[in-house]
Amino acid sequence: MSLDGVYDEGNVFALILAGKIPSVTLYEDADTLCFLDIQPQSKGHALVISKWSKARNILEIEDDALAQVMATTRKVATAIRAALDPDGLHIAQFNGAAAGQTVFHLHVHIVPRWAGQAPGFAAHAQGQFADADALKALAQEIRAHL
Ligand code: AMP
């Protein structure tokens, strides 16, 4: 998928928003949703999406939707810091397959980082799938700081 294209209503994040597949929610408001990544790059890896924008990438997103997504990103990043005490927070957003994007509904990654661990983003297929119960317990820990 290139930078140009049509929004696919069947993409995995659209299905999460429609309640058709499960996710572990950290935070939601009227405009945004934040949930834990199922193939986390580190403990607490979360994704923030707009609930209403059909933007595939940052070139398409409406200014207000982008502002809402970034406000939620900071809010949840603050809670992740309080809950997990990382040394750093990697905020990432990919546009187009050539840049590593695999889901074409704009999303922002929040990846807690600890000193001594490799900070690079792994190819997604290499990531381990997280245990569902462990994600739920972790979400409870982070949500306590929101
Ligand atoms: P990107 O490469 O920026 O498009 O990242 C897509 C991210 O979505 C990857 O980190 C995936 O692990 C994550 N992902 C894919 N499907 C799901 C899902 N059902 N629930 C949570 N995260 C997902």
Side-chain angles (χ1 to χ4, degrees), residues 34-126:
C34 178
F35 52 95
L36 287 171
D37 197 296
I38 45 164
Q39 283 179 278
Q41 306 271 339
S42 73
K43 182 181 179 185
H45 181 173
L47 301 168
V48 182
I49 62 175
S50 170
K51 284 185 174 177
W52 58 266
S53 175
K54 304 290 185 194
R56 297 160 71 250
N57 56 52
I58 200 160
L59 303 180
E60 297 177 355
I61 196 165
E62 301 82 354
D63 287 348
D64 50 352
L66 181 60
Q68 290 158 356
V69 164
M70 293 315 294
T72 293
T73 298
R74 183 168 62 178
K75 186 182 190 82
V76 177
T78 302
I80 288 174
R81 184 191 186 188
L84 303 180
D85 196 27
D87 299 310
L89 287 159
H90 187 166
I91 306 297
Q93 191 273 319
F94 304 132
N95 302 282
Q101 186 176 13
T102 58
V103 180
F104 293 85
H105 177 118
L106 182 135
H107 52 281
V108 173
H109 296 258
I110 305 171
V111 189
R113 299 292 190 190
W114 284 267
Q117 293 179 349
F121 239 84
H124 306 290
Q126 291 168 10

Side-chain angles (χ1 to χ4, degrees), residues 128-146:
Q128 300 276 333
F129 280 96
D131 174 74
D133 288 337
L135 281 189
K136 285 180 196 161
L138 177 58
Q140 215 169 354
E141 208 182 318
I142 296 169
R143 283 196 302 261
H145 292 272
L146 278 165

